Amino acid sequence: MNKNSIIIIGGGIAGLATGIYGQMNGYKTTIFEMHTLPGGLCTSWKRKGYTMDGCIHWLVGSNPESGSHIMWEELGALKDVEIVNHEAFVTVENTDGRVFHMNTDIDRLEKHMLELAPVDAAVIRDFCGTIRKLGSLDMPMDEPRGLGGKIKGAFAMLPMAGVFLKYGKMNAKQFAARFKDPFLNKVWNSMFDMPDFPMMGLLYTLGWQNKKDAGYPIGGSLPFSQSIEKRYTELGGEIHYNAKVERILVEDNHAVGIRLTDGREFRAGRVISAADGFATINYMLGGRYRDPELEEYYRKSEIFEPLVMVSLGVKRDMADQPQTMVRMLDKPITIAGKEREYIQVKHYGYDPTLAPEGKTVVMAMFDTKYDYWKKLAEDPERYDAEKKQAALTVISAIDKYLPGFEKDVEVVDVATPLTTERYTGNWQGSFEGWRLTTQNMSKSFTGGLAHTLPGLRNFYMVGQWVEPGGGLPTAGISGRNMIKRLCKEDGKDFATIRN
Ligand SMILES: Cc1cc2nc3c(=O)[nH]c(=O)nc-3n(C[C@H](O)[C@H](O)[C@H](O)COP(=O)(O)OP(=O)(O)OC[C@H]3O[C@@H](n4cnc5c(N)ncnc54)[C@H](O)[C@@H]3O)c2cc1C
């Protein structure tokens, strides 16, 4: 079969990006997507006049001046789209009334923190100075594979050597412990409440926020995905929906095509899976080509815990409220069997396309366990009751600080890890694949996990299950780098076209 023809499994951002760069480079690509829509996790859904957004909080590369923006131009993602850059990443209110604004402008953040906690001046100055320094770096788009690439990458990083030495092995909890002020200590502890979340991840995020390169595109997640899909089809790409791949066809240890659940078979010279990694390896390939290193990774590594998302449509203007608010609670609440000492509430009042005039979409997200919901789902009544309970708990917690909120709620929507699994096939309902830790952070700088499986030819993997840390830019970069790699294998120059 002609190696120029490529089958791509999955029409999420990684699959669409692979298709777009494939089309730009003379490959004939066809995407098979099990859902009826493009975008995978990057999606939204309508409920009685409201649009519940399921993804983008911040998009790295949203600033047209930044290097990372180039990829979104190539993917046709942000053309004529208005970007909102928030003044504060998050606002935290303590039980004693103290308020912390995590201002995205680093000078304002430094001033604010110094006022709140002069006792921590040295930590604050060092922290903000580091963000300023890192903020000049774009998200790395090119995979520093091979000695040449690695040396080039190392040179680019040289001015940051001190930062990596100091913060490279530190996690967010260790950083929080540096604050003597109890409130700031608590704030930083709750901010990235994941074990071993790398400080570098936090510093980069704030650096990108500071240079207004991590904004929100008006319209939200589904229109963002649909623009990329449009770009793909305009470049001649073909996409089949309602097309769930059941098996990757292999002959003589070469991937030669796919079989869909409806029995139809399609053939191509190469197969790229941009779908869930676990299902690809264990179901679509029947576990025949397991890489021991990857297997160990699946056994030992932590995923981003799945989420239970409570989205509300409220007949209330929330413009006077911070866009993301964390409130420390006097009395913990229980959601999905876990006690929570704080609640994080986000509203989308800044995007008028998501709700009718004067009304707002409000959302609260909580980490949760896949098995908890899987077990509940054995009894549909209990499962539904738990969803209802989660929504009621959230509404009543918000009503305590926004009196009358409860009666303004018009629409309630609760998504669990099983919802994520059902619509996108992601393992354990994870929303971003492998959780970033101080241990695997270096992998995401050096091109992720292996993108092939041992003994299987003409087969490749892209997306959040081969790039620890996940995220939209990473998914796009993953597809871009894959086609670059195929161009190299085929002895041709990699080409891109901006939109
Ligand atoms: C609540 C939430 C908030 C987020 N916030 C942000 C954010 O602010 N910024 C950011 O950068 N990222 C964010 N992310 C993460 C980001 O959405 C993901 O990391 C990224 O979209 C992953 O893209 P992907 O293409 O690798 O995977 P996916 O989106 O999972 O795409 C895989 C695709 O494959 C399809 N598929 C699976 N199995 C099959 C099969 N057998 N046959 C055919 N098709 C199949 C699926 O339907 C899906 O469309 C968020 C995610 C969530 C859920």
Side-chain angles (χ1 to χ4, degrees), residues 10 13-14 33-34 40-41 54-55 57-58 245 426 432 464 471-472:
I13 301 305
E33 165 55 49
M34 68 176 189
L41 289 162
C55 184
H57 296 218
W58 68 84
V245 175
N426 275 289
E432 218 168 87
Q464 65 175 15
L472 296 163

Side-chain angles (χ1 to χ4, degrees), residues 36 38 109 134 154 261 278 308 400 404 432 444 486:
T36 51
L109 177 66
L134 279 178
T261 46
F278 186 87
V308 52
K400 286 209 171 78
E432 218 168 87
S444 42
L486 297 190

Side-chain angles (χ1 to χ4, degrees), residues 63 66-67 104 135-138 206-214:
N63 185 339
S66 89
T104 51
S136 61
L137 282 186
D138 291 323
L206 292 176
W208 291 321
Q209 295 271 357
N210 180 43
K211 67 171 183 170
K212 302 201 181 323
D213 194 23

Side-chain angles (χ1 to χ4, degrees), residues 180-407:
K180 293 194 185 83
D181 180 88
F183 178 45
L184 284 195
N185 179 297
K186 200 160 148 189
V187 162
W188 290 104
N189 248 314
S190 62
M191 205 61 68
F192 283 76
D193 193 10
M194 288 174 253
D196 202 29
F197 187 85
M199 249 332 260
M200 291 304 297
L202 177 57
L203 290 164
Y204 268 115
T205 305
L206 292 176
W208 291 321
Q209 295 271 357
N210 180 43
K211 67 171 183 170
K212 302 201 181 323
D213 194 23
Y216 166 89
I218 288 289
S221 302
L222 185 57
F224 173 82
S225 296
Q226 284 168 327
S227 306
I228 300 178
E229 183 228 35
K230 183 166 175 270
R231 174 83 165 141
Y232 174 60
T233 52
E234 279 172 0
L235 285 164
E238 205 181 308
I239 184 158
H240 297 259
Y241 290 106
N242 277 321
K244 183 170 182 178
V245 175
E246 173 183 75
R247 202 80 178 166
I248 294 167
L249 303 175
V250 177
E251 287 171 5
D252 195 17
N253 293 322
H254 286 66
V256 295
I258 48 137
R259 185 170 68 236
L260 303 181
T261 46
D262 62 13
R264 282 182 296 159
E265 291 190 357
F266 296 84
R267 297 201 158 228
R270 287 171 164 133
V271 176
I272 300 176
S273 176
D276 171 66
F278 186 87
T280 300
I281 296 166
N282 295 295
Y283 305 142
M284 294 183 218
L285 283 166
R288 267 179 74 196
Y289 298 96
R290 286 203 191 108
D291 178 331
E293 200 185 319
L294 205 59
E295 239 180 287
E296 170 151 316
Y297 203 87
Y298 271 86
R299 224 180 16 252
K300 292 195 174 158
S301 307
E302 300 283 340
I303 57 172
F304 275 99
E305 292 269 36
L307 303 168
V308 52
M309 281 174 67
V310 177
S311 302
L312 308 168
V314 293
K315 54 173 198 293
R316 169 184 280 245
D317 186 339
M318 303 276 285
D320 59 337
Q321 292 295 310
Q323 57 91 13
T324 300
M325 182 83 184
V326 171
R327 276 181 201 264
M328 304 292 174
L329 302 168
D330 291 322
K331 230 173 94 201
I333 52 171
T334 301
I335 305 264
K338 183 176 163 187
E339 268 201 1
R340 324 273 172 171
E341 287 177 356
Y342 57 89
I343 182 171
Q344 177 169 322
V345 177
K346 179 174 175 60
H347 76 77
Y348 288 88
Y350 49 85
D351 186 344
T353 69
L354 302 189
E357 209 182 327
K359 301 184 177 184
T360 315
V361 170
V362 174
M363 200 255 290
M365 290 192 310
F366 306 86
D367 63 287
T368 186
K369 298 280 178 212
Y370 173 81
D371 288 343
Y372 181 84
W373 292 95
K374 189 78 188 162
K375 183 108 194 59
L376 273 179
E378 286 169 13
D379 177 350
E381 266 180 35
R382 278 189 62 214
Y383 177 79
D384 282 347
E386 186 73 22
K387 280 173 59 169
K388 261 193 204 119
Q389 189 53 45
L392 287 175
T393 310
V394 167
I395 294 169
S396 125
I398 300 176
D399 194 74
K400 286 209 171 78
Y401 65 87
L402 287 180
F405 181 85
E406 192 170 344
K407 70 167 181 28

Side-chain angles (χ1 to χ4, degrees), residues 35 69 125 149 158 187 304 333 341 386 427 438 448 474 483:
H35 198 13
H69 190 76
R125 289 217 167 87
L158 215 53
V187 162
F304 275 99
I333 52 171
E341 287 177 356
E386 186 73 22
W427 190 44
T438 56
T474 313
I483 296 301

